[in-house]
Amino acid sequence: MGIVEEAHNVKVMGPADRPTIVLAHGFGTDQSVWKHLVPHLVDDHRVVLFDNMGAGTTNPEYFDFERYATLEGYAYDVLALLEELRVESCVFVGHSVSAVIGAIASVNRPDLFSKIIMISASPRYLNDMDYYGGFEQEDLDQLFEAMASNYKAWCSGFAPLAVGGDMDSVAVQEFSRTLFNMRPDIALRVGQTIFQSDYRNLLCHVTVPCHIIQSMKDLAVPVVVSEYLHQNLGGESIVEVMSTDGHLPQLSSPDVVVPVLLRHIRYDIAD
């Protein structure tokens, strides 16, 4: 196993001669968030799972606060990973921030991505003139302050809001666990990097086909953002808004989401 693979807890499953699918998780989770999808892929795909640096499952000593002050740091990790695994082309499934990370990586190396499937993605979370991202700066300042003052209490409150459900649901408990596994100072930095980011100007440079998948109701990403992505991406794109609730639908509503993901993985926009 290579250095990058080991640092990111890479797992490769399925036949080596089949098309490669890379599954990339979002903030506060790790590769376990794909547990409902993976069994449907491993028979006829080479499936690559990994953890973003900063996830609770990674070594916190490897987290470079300067490198990961922007999403480009994560995008370079993805490219290094694909290079180390000798991936020539992949379907990249990115949840939340990883959808944008995949888009950044694809601008650098479009040849490595046959398409990007974006789940609950947003190029900017802050509202702006003629743009609705869902948050005002005051909202984010309060969020960061709560994370910094009592991280465990913040996790307990944020998890059900993000997932959409009560604390008794398995999905909320699972997200609470992976969120709490993050080192608090790293979680705060990652949260600030994501929520303060603005990659609207990048979208026109993304030429790889993008499949935009979104929950009808999502605390972090208003449904109008999916249409914004569709209108501003530089290549072909398609939008599917599901009847699901929450920012982690692949975890909270797998019965609905897994068939949708499989359809988008297997069929191209041109089909």
Side-chain angles (χ1 to χ4, degrees):
M1 182 177 278
I3 295 168
V4 181
E5 291 175 71
E6 191 174 346
H8 291 274
N9 304 317
V10 171
K11 290 189 186 72
V12 182
M13 294 177 284
D17 60 343
R18 302 298 294 161
T20 299
I21 293 184
V22 177
L23 303 179
H25 69 84
F27 171 64
T29 59
D30 56 39
Q31 60 187 264
S32 66
V33 80
W34 302 111
K35 63 184 180 181
H36 299 296
L37 177 63
V38 170
H40 298 275
L41 297 175
V42 290
D43 287 344
D44 51 3
H45 295 89
R46 181 191 186 209
V47 181
V48 176
L49 291 159
F50 72 99
D51 296 329
N52 280 323
M53 200 53 63
T57 44
T58 60
N59 185 341
E61 298 305 314
Y62 292 163
F63 188 84
D64 183 330
F65 281 80
E66 194 171 320
R67 176 183 175 89
Y68 300 111
T70 69
L71 300 187
E72 279 78 1
Y74 298 94
Y76 292 136
D77 285 353
V78 168
L79 294 175
L81 198 61
L82 296 179
E83 185 176 332
E84 198 165 275
L85 292 171
R86 296 180 182 171
V87 173
E88 294 178 1
S89 179
C90 74
V91 172
F92 186 90
V93 182
H95 172 241
S96 190
V97 64
S98 278
V100 178
I101 291 166
I104 297 167
S106 79
V107 171
N108 284 274
R109 289 290 306 276
D111 55 303
L112 294 178
F113 300 83
S114 60
K115 64 181 164 191
I116 300 173
I117 297 176
M118 303 178 152
I119 309 167
S120 312
S122 177
R124 178 184 165 105
Y125 294 87
L126 271 173
N127 299 330
D128 197 9
M129 293 285 289
D130 302 322
Y131 176 81
Y132 183 66
F135 294 87
E136 295 292 345
Q137 187 61 53
E138 186 182 353
D139 301 326
L140 295 184
D141 290 342
Q142 289 174 356
L143 184 145
F144 301 145
E145 189 179 326
M147 289 178 78
S149 63
N150 189 332
Y151 184 65
K152 186 173 185 179
W154 176 80
C155 290
S156 298
F158 182 74
L161 290 174
V163 174
D166 57 51
M167 274 311 276
D168 296 330
S169 81
V170 175
V172 169
Q173 289 175 5
E174 182 69 10
F175 184 48
S176 298
R177 179 186 68 79
T178 55
L179 198 58
F180 188 60
N181 277 347
M182 295 182 76
R183 206 173 77 185
D185 58 329
I186 291 175
L188 178 59
R189 167 52 64 89
V190 176
Q192 289 169 330
T193 297
I194 293 169
F195 282 110
Q196 299 285 176
S197 67
D198 186 353
Y199 285 92
R200 290 175 296 174
N201 290 338
L202 173 96
L203 300 179
C204 64
H205 301 289
V206 179
T207 56
V208 171
C210 292
H211 298 239
I212 304 154
I213 299 172
Q214 173 71 33
S215 287
M216 182 71 76
K217 186 180 175 189
D218 182 340
L219 166 90
V221 183
V223 75
V224 292
V225 173
S226 59
E227 187 58 32
Y228 181 89
L229 287 168
H230 178 51
Q231 296 293 340
N232 289 276
L233 283 162
E236 287 188 294
S237 64
I238 188 171
V239 177
E240 180 159 352
V241 178
M242 304 175 295
S243 60
T244 49
D245 181 3
H247 190 61
L248 296 92
Q250 74 275 39
L251 192 63
S252 59
S253 305
D255 293 349
V256 175
V257 178
V258 168
V260 171
L261 290 175
L262 293 175
R263 181 158 36 84
H264 285 277
I265 286 167
R266 287 167 181 160
Y267 298 104
D268 296 331
I269 294 172
D271 289 351

